[in-house]
Amino acid sequence: MSDSACSNDSAHRNGSVCLGSSTETRSVRGLPRPLSPAPRPVPHALEAVHAGFPSVAQDYFNGDFSLDENLIAHPDTTFAVTVAGDSMTGCGIFDGDILLVDRSLTPQNHDVVIAAVNGELTVKRLLIRADGMSVLHPENPSYPDIALPRADDIDGDADGTCMWGVVIGNYHWQCSRAQPKA
């Protein structure tokens, strides 16, 4: 696929992505996978869990809770990707986390985005400066910023950079035993 395909709206909708041979900026594993079309509800407790002092436990449930229905506004353009690397640890995104990415949203200043840079996917924070220049900023001081062309050209350009989607959520495993086996 050519770099110009990154700016093609139909390519964004059908999940196409620009890939190259270098792995210098890759920080998501493999190709994003579309979310399941059929939500699987899980029980939703009626009482909130207190993060301060404990409260008396209630054994009441408030019906089912669907992650798909409650967390995803645009299911046709939302994908899940797995993070590989530590360039975003400063904002709570860790190696192995699962990101939800909405390709229908237009990236804005300070959004965490998935970008294709020279054909490789990376997750970084988009910073647009007052002079119109923009950078992909890692949230780990061990990594350098990636300078981009003008802010009005973030959807795709001749150097192979395109914004692939906006990260809308992050799932971080708290119990490795609960992770599905790959």
Side-chain angles (χ1 to χ4, degrees), residues 11-40:
H12 286 260
R13 283 191 300 274
N14 71 22
S16 299
V17 66
C18 300
L19 294 175
S21 58
S22 169
T23 58
E24 292 175 16
T25 61
R26 180 173 296 278
S27 53
V28 290
R29 290 187 185 129
L31 289 175
R33 57 192 182 275
L35 299 173
S36 170
R40 286 193 196 173

Side-chain angles (χ1 to χ4, degrees), residues 96-149:
D97 284 1
I98 297 171
L99 303 179
L100 293 179
V101 181
D102 190 334
R103 298 193 69 197
S104 71
L105 299 176
T106 300
Q108 295 181 1
N109 194 23
H110 298 284
D111 282 347
V112 174
V113 299
I114 303 294
V117 178
N118 297 321
E120 294 296 327
L121 294 177
T122 189
V123 56
K124 300 286 183 278
R125 185 171 306 279
L126 176 65
L127 299 179
I128 303 171
R129 300 186 319 212
D131 65 1
M133 295 301 292
S134 54
V135 297
L136 294 174
H137 177 71
E139 296 286 342
N140 180 335
S142 299
Y143 294 88
D145 286 346
I146 300 170
L148 296 177

